[in-house]
Amino acid sequence: MENPRTFHVKSFGCQMNVYDGERMAELLQAQGLSAAPAGSEADLVVLNTCHIREKAAEKVYSDIGRLRREDGTRPMIAVAGCVAQAEGAEISRRAPSVDIVVGPQAYHRLPELVARAREGGRALDTDMPVQSKFGVLPPRRRQGTSAFLTVQEGCDKFCTYCVVPYTRGAEVSRPWAAVVEEARALVDGGAREITLLGQNVNAWEGEDETGAVRGLDGLIRTLDALPGLERIRYTTSHPNDMREGLIRAHGEVGKLMPYLHLPVQSGSSRILKAMNRSHTAESYLDVLARVREVRPDIAISGDFIVGFPGETEADFEDTLKMVAAVNYAQAYSFKYSPRPGTPAADMEDQVPPDVMDERLQRLQALLAEQSLAFNRATIGKRTQVLIERSGRKPGQMLGKSPWLQSVHVETDAAIGSVIEVDIVSAGPNSLGGTIAAAPPTAVAA
Ligand code: SAH
Ligand code: SF4
Ligand code: F3S
């Protein structure tokens, strides 16, 4: 096989996969390859896969079958991400055209794997090496106005439905200095917003320059002082790791945005126990009450699973009650998908698909109603919008409100600037606004 000169990375799944995709692209660029705008134009295609639900995992096989270059030949194919980790050698068996299989903790070795694949061999690397990939990857490049930064990876929680502890490995926090340095590099490269990522990001812990042990709030407070950075977000959090300091930070740290993604999965404490979530419906509501006390306008977002084994109509109604009590600005809801190797896949009382469908519809109807109401409640408000890109209509720009809503506004403000906008309209997915105060508050770097 020829030496690939161009590549295309396609990421599925969560934001961490998007981040990993960026880092793989940077790594390949550092090797002299250039980015192709589409898979059909690339010599090397990296499918950065997700294993969380069956549909996501199966998608990769149909994608592999379709990969062809414009001249009809097939590119070198690498399967990366969580399917690679979970299914490893099985991928090569099911899809012989795959040249490289590389897991989420081994992708810094991609150049060696490409070299091996060129020799005609199939290259598989699903190690979870002691030396972290982060020490080996090239420095960050420009990533746009809003950038992701992985600070914590892996999960020790072992929810009974979930593959992540197996695909990402044990919980690891990246060191303080590495995170601060990467944040600086991102801001130097043009980022105005940084979203700190982790499977359980609020479990992050590390020693600062003085050797003091700090939690995620310590990191957030330090980034708050970074000149040029306008906004800080973090995701995904676990309810049990919402410590006092982090809650307080929501009331005290100016750049920390009023948005909290805090998955709960179910409103039934009985089901939460079977899920091994190690929190109850009550303790979850208690955390939210404490956050809302220090930051009353905070937007709450969540994840839900319907149809977990043994979920009765009464359990499901507890979920609806919880949703009614919380009032979500935004939420993601899924039908339970049995995953190979997880305890819940072998549980009795699997819920029939039609029951799951019906529950998902009811839940999503309620959640959609809440997020529309949340958006509508911003009409008439004056708020700050971080401009991220140009909109579809001429003269229109697209940005984000502090509550993570997309805002369309007619302005000549530059990408990366924060402007004052009066919100005049609201739909299910975005807001419309008019410029409130010109000129925009240019961001000094
Ligand atoms: N670490 C994060 C979530 C990672 S997975 C957390 O604990 O919140 C993202 C979401 O996918 C989960 O919150 C859950 O709602 C959903 N999910 C995970 N496994 C699933 C499964 N087997 N079936 C359906 N949804 C699942
Ligand atoms: Fe999966 Fe639970 Fe870990 Fe989240 S906390 S990644 S849902 S095992
Ligand atoms: Fe999917 Fe892996 Fe993320 S399974 S959700 S890509 S951690």
Side-chain angles (χ1 to χ4, degrees):
M1 208 176 264
E2 276 173 48
N3 212 359
R5 277 173 308 185
T6 57
F7 71 91
H8 184 75
V9 180
K10 196 170 167 197
S11 290
F12 307 87
C14 61
Q15 288 145 319
M16 192 172 291
N17 249 21
V18 174
Y19 173 87
D20 289 338
E22 288 168 1
R23 303 238 41 187
M24 282 189 262
E26 289 163 346
L27 177 62
L28 293 168
Q29 277 167 326
Q31 299 288 312
L33 281 78
S34 54
S40 58
E41 293 168 43
D43 301 332
L44 165 66
V45 175
V46 181
L47 297 174
N48 191 18
T49 60
C50 173
H51 200 244
I52 202 82
R53 283 167 291 274
E54 191 180 351
K55 249 202 206 127
E58 284 303 310
K59 194 176 172 348
V60 55
Y61 293 103
S62 56
D63 268 36
I64 292 167
R66 276 201 298 267
L67 284 175
R68 283 282 179 283
R69 276 183 292 199
E70 275 152 352
D71 61 5
T73 61
R74 69 167 189 82
M76 185 185 279
I77 302 172
V79 176
C82 289
V83 177
Q85 192 64 39
E87 297 184 3
E90 200 187 316
I91 298 176
S92 314
R93 235 175 296 130
R94 271 184 73 177
S97 57
V98 169
D99 303 285
I100 297 168
V101 175
V102 61
Q105 306 308 349
Y107 65 73
H108 54 294
R109 296 176 180 158
L110 205 46
E112 298 151 54
L113 298 169
V114 169
R116 247 195 279 161
R118 264 186 55 216
E119 306 294 311
R122 222 174 259 146
L124 170 88
D125 192 343
T126 50
D127 279 1
M128 296 208 177
V130 184
Q131 193 206 19
S132 148
K133 64 194 176 227
F134 295 113
V136 183
L137 292 165
R140 302 307 316 271
R141 290 182 167 218
R142 189 182 166 84
Q143 290 297 345
T145 296
S146 182
F148 292 136
L149 201 180
T150 293
V151 301
Q152 182 278 343
E153 205 172 338
C155 182
D156 298 339
K157 303 267 192 297
F158 291 93
C159 299
T160 52
Y161 50 81
C162 185
V163 295
V164 172
Y166 312 98
T167 63
R168 291 275 167 174
E171 280 184 14
V172 176
S173 293
R174 287 181 69 194
W176 172 277
V179 172
V180 174
E181 190 186 318
E182 188 169 328
R184 278 211 189 94
L186 288 168
V187 173
D188 288 347
R192 294 292 166 259
E193 172 176 275
I194 291 180
T195 302
L196 304 174
L197 297 181
Q199 263 90 37
N200 287 297
V201 69
N202 53 347
W204 184 89
E205 205 171 73
E207 283 179 17
D208 67 12
E209 301 91 343
T210 69
V213 175
R214 311 282 296 270
L216 187 69
D217 58 308
L219 206 48
I220 288 171
R221 284 173 194 276
T222 296
L223 297 186
D224 188 52
L226 208 63
L229 184 63
E230 293 284 320
R231 293 180 166 187
I232 305 166
R233 302 180 185 276
Y234 64 94
T235 198
T236 297
S237 298
H238 192 280
N240 284 5
D241 293 319
M242 279 313 287
R243 296 170 209 155
E244 193 51 42
L246 183 58
I247 293 176
R248 266 208 321 272
H250 274 285
E252 296 169 359
V253 178
K255 292 179 187 172
L256 181 58
M257 290 295 106
Y259 189 96
L260 175 63
H261 181 62
L262 198 64
V264 64
Q265 318 299 355
S266 168
S268 156
S269 291
R270 195 181 73 84
I271 292 297
L272 288 171
K273 190 152 194 259
M275 288 176 162
N276 192 32
R277 283 291 293 182
S278 65
H279 61 79
T280 61
E282 294 71 31
S283 67
Y284 176 81
L285 290 172
D286 180 58
V287 170
L288 290 188
R290 284 157 60 213
V291 179
R292 278 178 159 154
E293 201 176 303
V294 299
R295 188 72 208 228
D297 71 335
I298 197 159
I300 304 297
S301 152
D303 288 349
F304 296 90
I305 296 175
V306 301
F308 184 82
E311 185 188 74
T312 63
E313 174 63 22
D315 291 318
F316 174 66
E317 280 167 19
D318 284 344
T319 300
L320 294 178
K321 276 182 213 147
M322 146 119 17
V323 171
V326 170
N327 221 341
Y328 286 89
Q330 175 71 261
Y332 305 87
S333 46
F334 313 99
K335 281 185 272 184
Y336 167 70
S337 171
R339 306 306 293 128
T342 59
D346 298 324
M347 285 180 186
E348 282 167 26
D349 294 331
Q350 300 280 330
V351 174
D354 55 325
V355 176
M356 281 204 236
D357 283 332
E358 189 259 349
R359 287 182 189 165
L360 187 68
Q361 271 179 33
R362 280 155 72 197
L363 176 60
Q364 289 187 337
L366 178 59
L367 290 167
E369 213 174 274
Q370 292 191 343
S371 73
L372 182 60
F374 182 82
N375 286 350
R376 287 208 173 127
T378 55
I379 295 176
K381 277 191 189 163
R382 176 166 293 186
T383 187
Q384 299 212 311
V385 172
L386 171 61
I387 300 296
E388 291 185 350
R389 57 190 170 90
S390 30
R392 238 175 289 145
K393 294 185 199 144
Q396 191 189 56
M397 299 298 279
L398 201 61
K400 291 269 163 60
S401 79
W403 307 280
L404 209 56
Q405 298 148 298
S406 292
V407 184
H408 300 270
V409 58
E410 261 171 52
T411 173
D412 51 12
I415 289 173
S417 55
V418 177
I419 60 172
E420 294 258 298
V421 171
D422 289 326
I423 304 301
V424 296
S425 64
N429 302 314
S430 65
L431 308 176
T434 55
I435 195 121
T441 51
V443 182

